[in-house]
Amino acid sequence: EVQLVESGGGLVQPGGSLRLSCVASGFTFSTYSMNWVRQAPGKGLEWVSYITLSGSTTYYADSVQGRFTISRDNAKNSLYLQMNSLRAEDTAVYYCARESYVGGWIDPWGQGTLVIVSS
Amino acid sequence: EIVMTQSPATLSVSPGERATLSCRASQSVSRNLAWYQQKPGQAPRLLIYGASTRATGIPARFSGSGSGTEFTLTISSLQSEDFAVYYCQQYNNWPPKTFGQGTKVEIK
């Protein structure tokens, strides 16, 4: 069974930093690109970032460009999201999600980890 | 950036009835469109990709259609477990991958 388990969320002050982790199991992690997608409380889905299977290429939403960094460690079957200069509007559940093998759609998704940015 | 617009925002349907959800793209996305279902407190689940291909394990009562800028998700006979929020997502021209704002299907 494919599983994605996020961790690292919590309460952080504006301007602070947080590192999210996602551990993958049930599939060959190194052969899939990965995404982070977030959902603010009561709101819709917002794609945040993408990384290719080797980590050589990354993309970011404009809203996080320059503040967030996606990375992966294929030896540890792990995906990361380093979040710096956090703002109140970054408050959301952050989902780790696998890119489809063909590319484009997202499946499956982890259960999410909640990040709250507040003083 | 391609903007995805879903309608209606909320759809009230009785169990057993048909539900039709719409998704419009601000420019053509060909058939590079996916639909997701999200229940309260849960992660989204892939229903449809390629505009009309059901994902593994998705019941046949879910069907997708459309191409270009206009897409439809149809649930032929709503079951109690289908009451949820549904999102469309385009992957024709990205980054960024963009989602619609969602349609909530509620019990009438």
Side-chain angles (χ1 to χ4, degrees), chain A residues 32-83:
Chain A
Y32 284 85
S33 297
M34 298 293 294
N35 296 273
W36 286 100
V37 180
R38 69 184 180 183
Q39 186 171 37
K43 302 298 184 182
L45 301 169
E46 179 189 17
W47 172 81
V48 172
S49 187
Y50 164 95
I51 187 168
T52 53
L53 60 172
S54 67
S56 60
T57 299
T58 58
Y59 298 124
Y60 299 92
D62 287 346
S63 58
V64 306
Q65 180 77 50
R67 300 187 298 122
F68 289 12
T69 302
I70 190 172
S71 63
R72 64 191 295 161
D73 184 337
N74 287 341
K76 295 182 178 180
N77 290 341
S78 294
L79 177 72
Y80 305 102
L81 186 68
Q82 177 66 44
M83 304 186 296

Side-chain angles (χ1 to χ4, degrees), chain A residues 39 95 99 104-106 110, chain B residues 36 38 43 49 87 89 91 97:
Chain A
Q39 186 171 37
Y95 294 103
E99 182 81 356
W105 62 92
I106 298 172
Chain B
Y36 302 87
Q38 187 179 33
Y49 60 90
Y87 295 94
Q89 176 233 329
Y91 52 91
K97 296 179 190 281

Side-chain angles (χ1 to χ4, degrees), chain B:
Chain B
E1 173 178 326
I2 297 177
V3 177
M4 308 301 292
T5 303
Q6 292 186 239
S7 61
T10 303
L11 187 61
S12 299
V13 185
S14 299
E17 289 189 340
R18 182 186 194 93
T20 302
L21 290 65
S22 295
C23 175
R24 174 176 293 179
S26 60
Q27 63 189 76
S28 176
V29 299
S30 186
R31 291 180 61 82
N32 295 314
L33 184 108
W35 289 95
Y36 302 87
Q37 176 193 66
Q38 187 179 33
K39 297 179 181 179
Q42 296 186 16
R45 175 176 73 145
L46 176 70
L47 296 177
I48 300 281
Y49 60 90
S52 61
T53 303
R54 278 189 302 277
T56 302
I58 301 304
R61 65 180 181 273
F62 291 91
S63 63
S65 64
S67 65
T69 62
E70 300 284 343
F71 299 87
T72 300
L73 175 69
T74 301
I75 311 171
S76 60
S77 177
L78 271 158
Q79 306 298 302
S80 58
E81 62 266 30
D82 300 335
F83 293 96
V85 180
Y86 294 82
Y87 295 94
C88 61
Q89 176 233 329
Q90 69 82 21
Y91 52 91
N92 188 68
N93 187 355
W94 67 279
K97 296 179 190 281
T98 48
F99 293 87
Q101 80 278 19
T103 290
K104 181 180 180 181
V105 177
E106 64 175 24
I107 300 174
K108 186 174 182 180

